[in-house]
Amino acid sequence: MQNYKDKAELIQEIKKRYELYDLEFDEIPDDQKDLLKPGIDKTPSQNISYQIGWTNLLLQWETDEKKGIEVKTPTPEYKWNNLKGLYQSFYNRYGSYSLTQQREALRSQVNEITAWIENTDHETLFIPGQRKWATTPAQWPVWKWIHINTVAPFTNFRIQLRKWKKEKGTE
């Protein structure tokens, strides 16, 4: 997994990967957002709904902990062994949005995440055990949770979108 020397480098990578990911939606017509193609496990709408769902959870975990609310990851309704159900809840919640609305929602959340990082001290981001929601047997620091819910999927899911567009003949 990629490492970051500081929060500026993390923010830069999030913005870079997000912008590349978001650009992939420019050529996808809204009337094809729910089209599933062979060999691709998500429609464009499901792809971005997944992103909106996870970035929302990440922000919610932090907000809840700051309010003194006990955080149950990933959610009180879904356990780590039922991620398929969680993903379906994302598709159900955000799938009725137009691609434009989905893109706006994700953009807003990415902006919230980068503002959160900017306003968080180095120790909280880079030293394990600083947030209860991020403290697992793996002892990941907060930055790793941010990375696996932003940079990593923006990169991997961009590949899926490019493959989907190639199947469509729009690239």
Side-chain angles (χ1 to χ4, degrees), residues 60-121:
Q60 191 64 53
W61 296 336
E62 180 67 6
T63 300
D64 286 351
E65 183 159 329
K66 283 184 167 183
K67 290 179 181 176
I69 299 169
E70 182 183 352
V71 176
K72 293 186 179 175
T73 59
T75 73
E77 299 83 22
Y78 296 98
K79 306 282 184 238
W80 289 109
N81 64 357
N82 185 19
L83 292 179
K84 198 173 197 178
L86 179 62
Y87 302 160
Q88 188 61 51
S89 76
F90 297 159
Y91 308 153
N92 294 345
R93 181 170 180 189
Y94 305 110
S96 64
Y97 295 9
S98 69
L99 278 180
T100 300
Q101 291 169 319
Q102 289 175 312
R103 291 172 75 183
E104 288 170 4
L106 185 57
R107 181 177 299 112
S108 175
Q109 288 179 313
V110 168
N111 289 338
E112 281 185 63
I113 289 168
T114 57
W116 163 37
I117 295 167
E118 287 171 354
N119 294 309
T120 303
D121 62 71

Side-chain angles (χ1 to χ4, degrees), residues 2 18 22 24 27-28 32 38 47 55 58 64 68 72-73 75-76 81 91 100 105 109 119 122 155 159 167:
Q2 182 171 343
Y18 164 72
D22 183 65
E24 295 300 334
E27 300 167 4
I28 299 174
Q32 294 181 7
N47 186 304
T55 54
L58 186 63
D64 286 351
K72 293 186 179 175
T73 59
T75 73
N81 64 357
Y91 308 153
T100 300
Q109 288 179 313
N119 294 309
H122 182 87
T155 303
I159 293 166
E167 284 288 322

Side-chain angles (χ1 to χ4, degrees), residues 6 40 50 77 79 84 113 120 123 145 153 162 168-169:
D6 57 27
I40 301 154
Y50 177 101
E77 299 83 22
K79 306 282 184 238
K84 198 173 197 178
I113 289 168
T120 303
E123 182 177 279
W145 287 90
R162 294 175 70 79
K168 289 275 312 119

Side-chain angles (χ1 to χ4, degrees), residues 1-12:
M1 182 182 297
Q2 182 171 343
N3 283 308
Y4 303 94
K5 66 180 178 191
D6 57 27
K7 61 184 173 180
E9 191 174 77
L10 175 59
I11 290 168
Q12 180 182 9

